[in-house]
Amino acid sequence: MEHEDIAVRLAEVDARCRSNTHRLDDMDGKVDTLQRLTTAVEIMAAEQKHQSATMAEIKTDVTALGKKVDVIEKKPAKRWEGIVEKVLWAVCAAVIAFLLGRIGL
């Protein structure tokens, strides 16, 4: 090979080296961006787990609260049932007393 051929090859290698350097610099920026994105996704996944646990706790609390509300709602109904039962017993007792009084016992 002559000096001119070597000089041409050296120029080609130098040009390729510069091109590769630019490409590597571009890739460094993209890798940094990808790393930040990966970190953000990891943080979001951890936060999602925390929110899921919190939602499960809230669901349990709401279920317990619903049961308590059901008990509170049933209290007046039980009171009315008790009053109606006592009134019926009083009416029955009055009817029986009236009948016994009519028979003369």
Side-chain angles (χ1 to χ4, degrees), residues 22-40:
H22 291 296
R23 287 175 50 212
L24 286 174
D25 290 342
D26 289 344
M27 290 303 289
D28 283 342
K30 290 177 182 178
V31 167
D32 289 342
T33 302
L34 184 60
Q35 182 63 37
R36 286 194 311 273
L37 179 62
T38 303
T39 302

Side-chain angles (χ1 to χ4, degrees), residues 35-104:
Q35 182 63 37
R36 286 194 311 273
L37 179 62
T38 303
T39 302
V41 169
E42 288 174 354
I43 291 170
M44 288 172 53
E47 183 64 26
Q48 181 66 31
K49 286 181 183 178
H50 175 69
Q51 288 178 354
S52 295
T54 303
M55 290 299 290
E57 290 176 17
I58 290 172
K59 187 176 180 180
T60 303
D61 291 345
V62 168
T63 301
L65 186 60
K67 290 178 183 177
K68 290 178 182 179
V69 168
D70 288 342
V71 168
I72 291 172
E73 287 177 342
K74 290 178 183 178
K75 263 189 175 181
K78 287 181 181 179
R79 287 181 186 156
W80 278 108
E81 288 174 5
I83 291 171
V84 169
E85 182 182 355
K86 290 173 184 161
V87 168
L88 288 175
W89 279 109
V91 169
C92 288
V95 169
I96 291 172
F98 175 75
L99 292 176
L100 289 176
R102 292 276 279 169
I103 313 176

